[in-house]
């Protein structure tokens, strides 16, 4: 059994209390939501905060407001999203993303905020302390080299969150609060393409809400490639959202790749092709071609990287067919069985 390192635990009762504790020593303090990512990381000594501030008792973070836009407190569990029939109807992409995260037990604990801030992943990093010590560590923690690309000046660990690409495609924003005040930014601006500094969130900030714009008249879909259909992290994924006008033309399209970089990756070239056009099979094929070069998976997660890259085309194709309203049940089955 791997034990947790010693740390001080503070159970916050309000956002104000949580940000006060963060401000006291931001570099040494971490927030604990469901703990399904942070606690295993602490056991493996990947993250070793001296102080942990628990958010479970902060009722303000579990709100859910529906006033045109959807305001989701970051302590809402993933299970609450999966059980939300209205979300399934009105924002199917987010519902599809949430249902494919981990297992039911983990989703009971796991939260929206924790999923957005999920640590980036890598074969050389997600290992025990002793395993990492045996290779003299790597630059993400305790070492100074990247074993994936030894000449790389930066860490290439993979963004493996399922909801972040979908929130980005939905045009969602996040509210960040600290003792210095609060700010609201696009989810797209919360992430940086750097495996170590993958969030633009400052160490003294707490993400309190995710605000999803009104989805009436809009459609969305999320498609994920993983080894096991029962539960597994994504090794490539596609989130799409847009509005299909009565004449069939697509507007407000956003297409985002997940798990092929250190951040969710918007694909403006594919969006430009689709915007204002009818989603024909030919256009879908052209958009999949446009997305293909943008995804540059590295050899640091499950599956062979060339195959993962190859899978970008079918994933984009399936997601766009889903957005168009095709019956994609057989395609979902093919993806689960990896007959692509
Ligand atoms: C077996 C297994 C399978 C998994 N499969 C998947 C999967 O398929 N897809 C997937 O996306 N994830 C997966 N996960 C990872 C994890 O369970 C989820 O990402 C989960 O949503 C993390 O949420 P949490 O509340 O438990 O986060 P925590 O572990 O509590 O926190 C994660 C990070 O977020 C920070 N944080 C939490 N809340 C806030 C906040 N409000 N403001 C600022 N920072 C915050 C924490 O400080 C920490 O750095 C899996 C985990 C396991 C163990
Ligand atoms: S990508 Fe390189 S630096 Fe980053 S975790 Fe993996 S081996 Fe370490």
């Amino acid at each position: 059994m791997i034990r947790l390192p010693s740390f001080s635990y503070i159970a916050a009762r309000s956002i104000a209390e949580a940000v006060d504790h963060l401000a006291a020593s931001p570099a040494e303090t971490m927030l604990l939501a469901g703990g399904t990512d942070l606690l295993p990381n602490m056991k493996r000594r990947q993250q070793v905060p001296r102080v942990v501030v628990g958010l479970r008792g902060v009722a303000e973070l579990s709100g859910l407001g529906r006033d045109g836009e959807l305001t989701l407190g970051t302590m809402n569990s993933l299970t609450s999203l999966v059980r939300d029939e209205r979300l399934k109807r009105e924002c199917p992409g987010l519902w599809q993303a949430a249902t494919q995260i981990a297992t039911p037990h983990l989703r009971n604990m796991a939260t929206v905020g924790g999923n957005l801030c999920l640590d980036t992943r890598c074969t050389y990093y997600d290992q025990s302390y002793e395993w990492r010590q045996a290779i003299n560590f790597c630059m993400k923690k305790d070492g100074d080299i990247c074993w994936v690309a030894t000449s790389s000046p930066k860490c290439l660990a993979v963004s493996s969150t399922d909801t972040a690409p979908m929130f980005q495609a939905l045009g969602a924003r996040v509210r960040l609060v600290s003792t210095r005040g609060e700010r609201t930014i696009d989810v797209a601006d919360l992430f940086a393409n750097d495996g170590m500094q993958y969030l633009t969130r400052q160490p003294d900030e707490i993400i309190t809400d995710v605000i999803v714009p009104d989805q009436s008249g809009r459609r969305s879909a999320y498609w994920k490639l993983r080894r096991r259909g029962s539960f597994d992290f994504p090794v490539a994924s596609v989130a799409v959202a847009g509005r299909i006008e009565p004449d069939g033309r697509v507007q407000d399209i956003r297409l985002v790749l997940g798990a092929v970089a250190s951040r969710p990756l918007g694909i403006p070239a594919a969006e430009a092709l689709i915007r204002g056009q009818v989603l024909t099979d030919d256009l879908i094929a052209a958009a999949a071609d446009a997305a293909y070069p943008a995804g540059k998976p590295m050899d640091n997660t499950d599956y062979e990287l060339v195959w993962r890259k190859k899978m970008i085309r079918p994933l984009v194709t399936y997601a766009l067919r889903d957005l168009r309203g095709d019956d994609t049940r057989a395609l979902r089955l093919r993806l689960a069985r990896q007959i692509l």
Side-chain angles (χ1 to χ4, degrees):
M1 187 178 69
I2 310 181
R3 290 180 188 281
L4 282 167
S6 62
F7 60 92
S8 303
Y9 179 76
I10 300 166
R13 297 278 159 224
S14 64
I15 295 173
E17 221 180 283
V19 293
D20 273 348
H21 290 304
L22 270 182
S25 55
E28 295 178 310
T29 307
M30 285 188 78
L31 298 168
L32 181 79
T36 62
D37 182 48
L38 179 60
L39 295 177
N41 283 4
M42 286 173 67
K43 287 186 171 188
R44 293 186 293 249
R45 292 357 183 220
Q46 292 156 294
Q47 291 172 319
V48 279
R50 195 176 55 76
V51 181
V52 171
V53 177
L55 299 178
R56 184 67 62 186
V58 184
E60 300 156 87
L61 293 173
S62 297
L64 193 152
R66 282 186 160 113
D67 178 17
E69 51 186 26
L70 170 71
T71 304
L72 261 179
T74 43
M75 280 303 284
N76 276 290
S77 72
L78 298 179
T79 296
S80 71
L81 301 192
V82 172
R83 290 196 178 146
D84 190 328
E85 286 298 322
R86 192 165 158 194
L87 185 79
K88 184 178 177 182
R89 256 190 342 268
E90 294 176 358
C91 196
L94 183 55
W95 184 85
Q96 288 162 356
T99 54
Q100 294 180 71
I101 295 171
T103 64
H105 297 92
L106 284 159
R107 290 195 296 267
N108 288 343
M109 295 300 293
T111 64
V112 169
N115 191 249
L116 269 178
C117 298
L118 176 68
D119 196 8
T120 51
R121 296 178 57 79
C122 172
T123 322
Y124 296 92
Y125 172 71
D126 291 298
Q127 304 288 351
S128 67
Y129 181 85
E130 291 75 16
W131 193 104
R132 292 185 295 114
Q133 187 180 37
I135 58 162
N136 206 17
F137 302 104
C138 76
M139 74 167 80
K140 185 160 159 76
K141 182 75 177 97
D142 299 325
D144 50 18
I145 192 170
C146 173
W147 292 112
V148 175
T150 48
S151 59
S152 174
K154 67 168 190 174
C155 166
L156 303 161
V158 188
S159 167
S160 306
T161 142
D162 281 302
T163 60
M166 198 63 242
F167 279 127
Q168 186 169 323
L170 291 167
R173 290 166 290 138
V174 283
R175 190 161 73 99
L176 297 118
V177 177
S178 71
T179 51
R180 295 174 288 113
E182 68 172 72
R183 60 189 180 119
T184 302
I185 59 170
D186 287 345
V187 166
D189 295 329
L190 178 65
F191 298 101
N193 201 4
D194 180 317
M196 288 163 74
Q197 305 300 328
Y198 59 95
L199 290 176
T200 60
R201 163 195 170 254
Q202 296 304 306
D204 64 342
E205 288 179 316
I206 171 168
I207 305 176
T208 56
D209 311 279
V210 189
I211 305 135
V212 181
D214 191 351
Q215 292 300 302
S216 20
R218 289 173 59 82
R219 299 182 188 178
S220 55
Y222 183 73
W223 284 71
K224 163 177 177 175
L225 180 67
R226 55 181 166 177
R227 184 176 290 271
R228 291 169 293 194
S230 52
F231 76 101
D232 242 326
F233 283 94
V235 292
S237 68
V238 177
V240 283
R243 182 187 314 282
I244 302 196
E245 302 294 351
D247 64 2
R249 291 177 196 279
V250 185
Q251 301 297 352
D252 303 335
I253 180 80
R254 282 205 185 88
L255 193 152
V256 181
L257 300 183
V260 290
S262 299
R263 61 158 297 152
L265 220 52
I267 309 294
E271 293 165 357
L273 279 178
I274 297 168
R275 196 169 297 119
Q277 303 297 320
V278 175
L279 268 181
T280 59
D281 286 350
D282 285 348
L283 181 62
I284 290 176
D289 283 346
Y292 178 78
K296 295 186 176 72
M298 302 300 294
D299 197 7
N300 58 353
T301 184
D302 197 6
Y303 285 130
E304 212 259 315
L305 77 114
V306 177
W307 188 73
R308 275 170 65 212
K309 183 165 171 69
K310 218 167 131 187
M311 289 306 104
I312 291 172
R313 275 199 183 95
L315 282 172
V316 171
T317 305
Y318 295 174
L320 287 173
R321 287 185 59 180
D322 201 347
L323 193 79
R324 184 169 69 180
D326 291 11
D327 181 349
T328 51
R329 282 172 297 182
L331 292 178
R332 289 241 179 234
L333 214 60
R334 283 175 70 102
L335 181 64
R337 294 184 180 156
Q338 288 159 26
I339 312 166
L340 295 153

